[in-house]
Amino acid sequence: MTETLKRGYPGMASVKDMPIVQDMPPVGGFPSIRIQRRLPSTGPTGLAIFAVGAAVMAYGYYNVYHLIQNRKAGLRELEMLRAPIIPVLQAEEDIRWVAHSKAALEEEARIMKDVPGWELGKSNS
C-alpha cells in the first residue's frame, strides 16, 4: 500500500484500487544462466598417477633384483674361498669328536664300574 489507510483520511480503501503494474523482463531478455559444471583441471589424471606409480615400483623391483644378484655373487665368492679349507675344518671337528667320545666312555666307565655285566660303549646303540 502506498498511502496511509486510516479511517476518515483520504486515500485508497483497498489494495484492489491500485493500478496493475506487471514486472517485465528487460529489453533483449535476461542473460543466460550457466548451469553446466566447468571445474578446472587440477592435478594429473588417474592414468598419469598410475603410470608414475608403476614406473616407481618397476625401478624399485629392478634395484632389489640387482641387490639380490650382488648378494648371491658375494656368497658364492665366500663359498669358493672356504672350499679349500673344508678338509682342514673337518679334520679339526673329527679330532674334537674323538676326544669327546673318549671322555664320554671314560665317564661311563667311572659311573658304571660297580654294575656287574655292564659292557662299556654298548649303551649308545
Side-chain angles (χ1 to χ4, degrees), residues 30-34:
F30 290 107
S32 63
I33 298 171
R34 183 175 70 92

Side-chain angles (χ1 to χ4, degrees), residues 39-45:
L39 299 175
S41 175
T42 56
T45 64

Side-chain angles (χ1 to χ4, degrees), residues 47-75:
L47 181 63
I49 292 172
F50 180 78
V52 168
V56 167
M57 288 181 59
Y59 179 71
Y61 283 128
Y62 173 80
N63 282 342
V64 167
Y65 174 77
H66 282 288
L67 177 72
I68 290 172
Q69 294 301 317
N70 289 339
R71 186 176 296 159
K72 283 183 179 179
L75 290 175

Side-chain angles (χ1 to χ4, degrees), residues 11 13 55-56 74 81 84 119:
V56 167
L81 289 173
E119 294 182 18

Side-chain angles (χ1 to χ4, degrees), residues 1-123:
M1 295 185 197
T2 60
E3 298 181 26
T4 309
L5 294 176
K6 292 186 179 177
R7 250 177 236 217
Y9 290 100
M12 290 184 285
S14 172
V15 174
K16 295 178 183 177
D17 295 338
M18 294 176 66
I20 297 174
V21 178
Q22 184 175 358
D23 285 339
M24 295 297 290
V27 179
F30 290 107
S32 63
I33 298 171
R34 183 175 70 92
I35 59 172
Q36 67 270 22
R37 294 180 63 176
R38 289 189 200 153
L39 299 175
S41 175
T42 56
T45 64
L47 181 63
I49 292 172
F50 180 78
V52 168
V56 167
M57 288 181 59
Y59 179 71
Y61 283 128
Y62 173 80
N63 282 342
V64 167
Y65 174 77
H66 282 288
L67 177 72
I68 290 172
Q69 294 301 317
N70 289 339
R71 186 176 296 159
K72 283 183 179 179
L75 290 175
R76 277 193 302 269
E77 183 181 354
L78 190 60
E79 184 178 330
M80 294 305 289
L81 289 173
R82 289 180 179 168
I85 62 169
I86 288 177
V88 175
L89 296 174
Q90 185 64 48
E92 288 179 355
E93 179 62 23
D94 291 346
I95 292 170
R96 189 202 62 78
W97 182 82
V98 168
H100 176 73
S101 296
K102 185 177 178 183
L105 286 175
E106 289 173 359
E107 181 73 13
E108 182 182 351
R110 186 185 62 81
I111 292 172
M112 303 302 284
K113 65 181 174 189
D114 296 332
V115 178
W118 183 263
E119 294 182 18
L120 191 60
K122 297 285 184 177
S123 61

